[in-house]
Amino acid sequence: MDIETRTQLKEAVRRFVRERLVPLEKSVEEEDAVPDEVRAEIKRLGLYGLTIPVEYGGLGVDMVTDVEVAFELGWTSPAFRSVMGTNIGIGSQGIVIDGTPEQKKYWLPKLASGEIVGSFALTEPDVGSDAGSIKTRAIKKGDRYIVNGTKRFITNAPYAQVFTLMARTDPKDPGASGVSAFIVRADSKGLRLGKPDAKMGQRGTKTCDVFFEDVEVPAENIIGGREGQGFKTAMKVLDRGRIHISGICVGTAGRLIRESLSYAINRKQFGKPIIDFQLIQAMLADSQTDTNAARALVLETAVRYDRGEKTTLSAAACKYFASEMVGRVADRAVQIHGGAGYMAETPVEHFYRDVRLFRIYEGTSQILQLIVAREMRKEFEN
Ligand code: COS
């Protein structure tokens, strides 16, 4: 993508977010749903295909552009990003990164156009951070696999037409190498959805359980065509996803600072705007400094990703820092707003709840710390 098209894309997303989506935040919060017309507009803007290669009908942006767009998307409620979040991330990247040419040709154009929604089914009732211990089984029978198991907290499952499913194909191997990734149609016989989860925040995003009862999946739907590669595919998808989420955190921090600044300038106490008080200034300055640091880290990691460097350590460090950072910024934003910040009328109230999830999904902060330390040790020992 040339510089001019890239600038136009970022400008278009920026305008769409600030002029169209921000005014809808309150209704999304109240209705717990993104309006259908917004989904259609996101489709028309081409955002479902943001990261899918041009040859498959997407915009094919590089990681740097991806995070720059994320800086814009993060400015508003996470529910809007979630509409196409799985198509541009965990719901398509398994196929983009490791799919066979046939799998890419069949599925990616549909995901890129938004004709279908893709979802990523890794987590289970007993499997969270220990992603290699998956219990869902896929047992080969002739030219198909028979899948049984339950997936939990699956983002966009109620909208999905296709799942990237992680399941154990080798029952004798209890670890990561016994896991394979599959492309599974949502209308497969035996596949059933649970009721939508009630969550602390991120209202308007939909997650639920997905049950597999003797679901038949054609053997050709194994991603990459080989058994035992599914865990690695999932890890590669997450390495990329973590950089994107970090970009979203930076965008949201920017919005929280803007809300805090505006409040601090307009709110008067002791006869003057509260921004005149140095303790308020200190909170604003800390939030801006935190955000600048995260922004620089995210961009640097994205550049490394685009250069083809291994970014397992830096993606983990990036999401660890950016998600913790936006947690601090949201906390200060509520503090600056005082009592008003605790009330549902002010956006900072829902952002405070929304950003809590960034420290958990696509790898908890503790798992990310562990990955950083492990990679450091590996580098030292090699
Ligand atoms: N990219 C490519 N391959 C990777 C990889 C990565 N980022 N990380 C691990 N692998 C490979 C390893 O190289 C290893 O391959 P070999 O067996 O050929 O050596 C294999 O995958 C198993 O790796 P490892 O032994 O490190 O697996 P662990 O079970 O120790 O993995 C962590 C541990 C914690 C890193 C992993 O389970 C994880 O990331 N958990 C968090 C899951 C998560 O983010 N869930 C969120 C829900 S999804 S929205």
Side-chain angles (χ1 to χ4, degrees):
M1 190 179 272
D2 59 54
I3 291 181
E4 204 186 312
T5 320
R6 200 167 128 182
T7 308
Q8 280 170 358
L9 170 70
K10 285 187 284 180
E11 278 302 313
V13 175
R14 189 183 179 90
R15 264 202 319 278
F16 180 60
V17 165
R18 295 179 191 221
E19 292 167 18
R20 175 73 174 129
L21 302 183
V22 169
L24 293 172
E25 285 171 0
K26 216 168 164 27
S27 76
V28 166
E29 208 46 35
E30 282 159 11
E31 309 287 324
D32 194 13
V34 174
D36 286 344
E37 62 265 26
V38 172
R39 289 176 190 279
E41 287 166 45
I42 289 174
K43 212 177 273 187
R44 279 202 292 280
L45 274 168
L47 291 180
Y48 277 91
L50 186 71
T51 58
I52 295 174
V54 175
E55 56 186 307
Y56 300 110
L59 297 176
V61 302
D62 57 14
M63 197 70 234
V64 169
T65 312
D66 179 325
V67 298
E68 286 174 339
V69 170
F71 293 160
E72 299 302 333
L73 294 171
W75 189 264
T76 189
S77 300
F80 296 116
R81 183 203 69 100
S82 172
V83 169
M84 70 298 188
T86 49
N87 277 40
I88 66 178
I90 54 180
S92 71
Q93 292 302 310
I95 302 174
V96 172
I97 296 171
D98 279 343
T100 63
E102 294 74 30
Q103 290 166 349
K104 291 183 187 184
K105 211 167 133 202
Y106 185 81
W107 292 103
L108 294 181
K110 296 178 180 63
L111 288 162
S113 66
E115 178 192 333
I116 62 170
V117 170
S119 182
F120 182 74
L122 171 68
T123 301
E124 300 181 359
D126 295 327
V127 179
S129 289
D130 186 5
S133 68
I134 282 168
K135 294 192 169 59
T136 294
R137 286 191 173 195
I139 303 301
K140 196 152 189 212
K141 233 182 173 184
D143 61 352
R144 3 216 81 217
Y145 285 86
I146 311 298
V147 179
N148 281 286
T150 300
K151 294 291 173 177
R152 181 139 291 174
F153 310 145
I154 304 305
T155 302
N156 274 345
Y159 299 112
Q161 282 78 31
V162 67
F163 291 93
T164 296
L165 169 78
M166 257 47 72
R168 185 164 304 284
T169 39
D170 185 352
K172 291 191 290 297
D173 179 349
S177 51
V179 174
S180 304
F182 292 90
I183 303 169
V184 182
R185 290 175 183 272
D187 61 3
S188 303
K189 194 162 165 268
L191 189 155
R192 200 165 48 79
L193 301 181
K195 61 175 180 16
D197 300 317
K199 302 187 294 299
M200 173 193 284
Q202 302 217 355
R203 288 176 67 78
T205 64
K206 299 290 165 195
T207 62
C208 69
D209 281 356
V210 184
F211 305 105
F212 297 83
E213 283 159 20
D214 291 329
V215 173
E216 290 190 14
V217 180
E220 72 217 34
N221 284 19
I222 198 158
I223 293 183
R226 275 197 304 148
E227 281 191 8
Q229 300 301 308
F231 180 81
K232 288 183 189 172
T233 297
M235 291 301 113
K236 287 184 247 177
V237 167
L238 290 172
D239 276 352
R240 193 184 196 291
R242 286 167 185 161
I243 308 174
H244 175 85
I245 296 289
S246 306
I248 297 289
C249 293
V250 170
T252 309
R255 171 68 183 284
L256 286 159
I257 290 171
R258 174 87 199 165
E259 295 291 336
S260 305
L261 199 51
S262 160
Y263 188 83
I265 288 169
N266 290 305
R267 170 76 174 168
K268 289 200 178 70
Q269 285 296 279
F270 305 102
K272 51 187 178 180
I274 62 169
I275 195 157
D276 286 348
F277 296 106
Q278 289 181 341
L279 291 177
I280 297 289
Q281 291 172 17
M283 284 194 275
L284 287 167
D286 282 353
S287 290
Q288 190 64 60
T289 307
D290 257 346
T291 307
N292 289 6
R295 191 184 168 91
L297 184 60
V298 173
L299 283 169
E300 197 225 31
T301 307
V303 167
R304 283 166 179 250
Y305 188 94
D306 286 336
R307 276 200 216 124
E309 290 177 29
K310 188 166 188 282
T311 50
T312 300
L313 186 157
S314 41
C318 196
K319 180 177 172 279
Y320 173 43
F321 185 78
S323 61
E324 294 283 337
M325 173 287 291
V326 74
R328 292 193 292 274
V329 171
D331 190 68
R332 290 185 201 113
V334 171
Q335 200 65 18
I336 291 167
H337 280 74
Y342 200 71
M343 301 299 151
E345 279 85 64
T346 47
V348 298
E349 184 272 336
H350 74 79
F351 279 117
Y352 179 80
R353 288 181 285 107
D354 296 342
V355 302
R356 190 62 185 83
L357 189 57
F358 295 142
R359 287 152 66 187
I360 298 171
Y361 70 4
E362 298 200 24
T364 63
S365 289
Q366 291 65 35
I367 286 294
L368 301 176
Q369 285 176 296
L370 183 153
I371 292 172
V372 171
R374 241 170 43 163
E375 293 296 313
M376 287 165 68
R377 182 175 176 174
K378 259 193 237 168
E379 273 173 32
F380 182 83
E381 286 174 349
N382 283 332

